């Protein structure tokens, strides 16, 4: 099922529940293999996420690993897979192969991204922007796929000058205009980059509506789990970190347990402010960890108790079963 068809009616109901989704990373060969990630995905499916993302890396052997992982995810009860696909450095034949493989696995959703440049480039016939990929998917597959795109509440990192912690007004507005172009090209959902100040997302949401972007815009939430990951993500994304948050993170960087607890506390506070301001859907960057995102959702009262945590889903089960109170009923 396409994500927009699944979440649209829920978001249209002013009295409907807060809904959520999870994002997972294709594991590196040196890290825990796909079975560990699949176990995590199967367990977290018990909470009834609207969809589950899996990230993409263009360098071999990652594409085939990701396609295999995504296909297995899609076979799990309660999992609607959203496959990331990058355009930069991807040969057109590889994009065609990825989309065909996704269709064969029953995957109906793709997150179309530009991606990061790699050296040496893999292909000369690669698209250079996400909008090219959105247009290509629509041209070759019609309405089969639901297409989501990335939104940047602080503007794309390329719009943030070196030595500055924020984009110029001109850069911010041009990035908003480009996002509108991606939606008009065929995207039906926006998922945002992470942020650590709810007011940044709320302003971004208002600005998107101001220029006529009408599709759902889902905030990306990353509970801080380790200092290393925090540094990597904030530096790569050029995320603005409030002084009080940076101070707490620096004070706790030698204690992963305490830092993780603070990460849950901070993410809970951000989500609470978003929900209080009418945001009805949350997208969690799990970093392949099940605890932090689930704790935040429990703190918000979106999911309840320990019972769902104990639900197990047979790995061999291929047919989706209905949800009862948001929890998968295993056959």
């Amino acid at each position: 099922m396409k994500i927009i068809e699944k979440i649209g009616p829920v978001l249209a109901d002013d009295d409907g529940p807060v809904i959520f989704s999870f994002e997972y990373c294709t594991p590196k060969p040196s890290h825990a293999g796909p079975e560990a990630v699949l176990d995590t995905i199967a367990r977290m499916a018990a909470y009834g996420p609207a969809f589950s993302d899996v990230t993409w890396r263009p360098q071999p052997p990652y594409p085939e690993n990701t396609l295999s992982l995504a296909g297995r995810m899609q076979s799990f009860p309660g999992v609607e897979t959203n496959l990331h696909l990058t355009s930069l450095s991807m040969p057109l034949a590889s994009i065609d192969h990825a989309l065909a493989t996704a269709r064969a696995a029953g995957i109906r959703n793709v997150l179309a991204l530009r991606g990061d440049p790699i050296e040496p480039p893999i292909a000369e016939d690669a698209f250079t922007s996400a909008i090219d990929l959105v247009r290509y998917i629509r041209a070759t597959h019609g309405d089969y796929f639901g297409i989501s795109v990335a939104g940047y509440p602080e503007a794309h990192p390329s719009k943030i000058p070196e030595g500055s912690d924020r984009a110029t007004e001109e850069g911010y507005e041009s990035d908003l205009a480009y996002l509108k172009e991606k939606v008009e090209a065929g995207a039906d959902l926006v998922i945002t980059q992470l942020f650590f100040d709810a007011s940044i997302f709320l302003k971004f949401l208002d600005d998107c509506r101001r220029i006529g972007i009408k599709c759902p815009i889902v905030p990306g939430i990353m509970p801080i789990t380790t200092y290393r990951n925090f540094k990597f993500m904030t530096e790569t994304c050029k995320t603005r970190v409030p002084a009080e948050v940076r101070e707490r993170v620096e004070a706790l960087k030698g204690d992963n347990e305490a830092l993780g607890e603070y990460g849950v506390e901070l993410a809970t506070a951000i989500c609470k402010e978003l929900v209080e301001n009418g945001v009805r859907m949350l997208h969690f960057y799990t970093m392949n960890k099940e605890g932090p995102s689930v704790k935040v959702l429990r703190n918000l009262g979106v999911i309840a108790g320990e019972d769902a945590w104990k639900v197990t889903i047979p790995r061999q089960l291929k047919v989706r079963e209905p949800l009862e109170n948001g929890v998968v009923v295993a056959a």
Side-chain angles (χ1 to χ4, degrees):
M1 185 176 191
K2 291 195 287 188
I3 293 168
I4 192 64
E5 295 171 350
K6 187 173 184 180
I7 70 173
V10 180
L11 296 180
D13 180 359
D14 291 338
D15 296 321
V18 172
I19 54 180
F20 57 92
S21 52
F22 297 131
E23 182 168 310
Y24 305 95
C25 303
T26 300
K28 295 180 179 179
S30 59
H31 292 185
E35 297 304 322
V37 177
L38 286 163
D39 284 344
T40 299
I41 294 167
R43 283 194 298 272
M44 295 182 75
Y47 297 101
F51 61 91
S52 297
D53 279 26
V54 59
T55 61
W56 183 270
R57 299 170 186 264
Q59 305 97 321
Y62 289 110
E64 289 304 321
N65 291 350
T66 300
L67 290 171
S68 174
L69 178 65
R72 294 178 69 183
M73 285 171 61
Q74 185 66 17
S75 73
F76 286 175
V79 175
E80 198 65 65
T81 302
N82 192 25
L83 173 68
H84 289 207
L85 189 59
T86 61
S87 57
L88 202 62
S89 302
M90 284 284 292
L92 191 56
S94 295
I95 291 174
D96 287 335
H97 170 69
L99 294 171
T101 303
R103 285 192 70 148
I107 294 170
R108 298 292 308 275
N109 300 284
V110 173
L111 174 57
L113 301 161
R114 187 194 75 161
D116 299 320
I118 61 173
E119 293 295 338
I122 294 176
E124 294 182 358
D125 65 342
F127 295 130
T128 58
S129 67
I131 196 169
D132 290 334
L133 182 56
V134 173
R135 289 171 176 153
Y136 184 74
I137 295 171
R138 283 286 176 243
T140 55
H141 292 270
D143 289 332
Y144 177 84
F145 288 108
I147 302 177
S148 47
V149 292
Y152 299 88
E154 301 174 69
H156 190 275
S158 65
K159 301 290 185 180
I160 301 175
E162 287 299 325
S164 176
D165 67 347
R166 64 196 67 199
T168 63
E169 186 64 24
E170 181 182 6
Y172 176 76
E173 289 293 333
S174 69
D175 202 53
L176 280 177
Y178 180 64
L179 178 59
K180 185 179 181 182
E181 286 184 52
K182 290 193 288 186
V183 173
E184 291 174 344
D188 43 35
L189 177 70
V190 175
I191 302 172
T192 80
Q193 186 58 271
L194 63 100
F195 53 89
F196 291 109
D197 181 341
S199 67
I200 289 175
F201 173 81
L202 294 171
K203 178 183 182 302
F204 172 74
L205 180 60
D206 286 344
D207 289 339
C208 287
R209 300 309 186 215
R210 167 174 56 82
I211 67 168
I213 299 174
K214 298 179 180 179
C215 70
I217 300 173
V218 183
I221 307 297
M222 188 192 79
I224 301 168
T225 54
T226 68
Y227 183 74
R228 178 181 178 183
N229 181 253
F230 168 80
K231 287 282 286 183
F232 175 77
M233 292 297 291
T234 55
E235 290 175 3
T236 300
C237 303
K238 296 187 178 180
T239 307
R240 201 181 316 164
V241 182
E244 63 272 19
V245 173
R246 190 174 296 280
E247 185 177 314
R248 285 289 300 276
V249 171
E250 291 293 333
L252 297 171
K253 66 181 180 181
D255 186 340
N256 276 346
E257 182 176 354
L259 181 58
E261 291 174 357
Y262 171 66
V264 169
E265 174 190 325
L266 175 63
T268 300
I270 292 170
C271 292
K272 185 172 184 291
E273 185 173 347
L274 295 176
V275 171
E276 288 174 347
N277 281 276
V279 174
R280 298 272 307 289
M281 184 164 186
L282 307 166
H283 181 74
F284 288 91
Y285 296 107
T286 71
M287 312 312 291
N288 296 349
K289 298 178 184 294
E290 56 189 292
S293 301
V294 169
K295 288 177 182 177
V296 173
L297 289 168
R298 283 193 177 134
N299 289 345
L300 295 170
V302 175
I303 59 176
E306 297 294 324
D307 290 342
W309 190 261
K310 297 173 184 176
V311 172
T312 58
I313 304 170
R315 295 292 299 280
Q316 72 276 13
L317 191 61
K318 299 298 181 184
V319 180
R320 297 175 188 278
E321 300 295 332
L323 299 179
E324 287 186 1
N325 300 320
V327 177
V328 172
V329 180

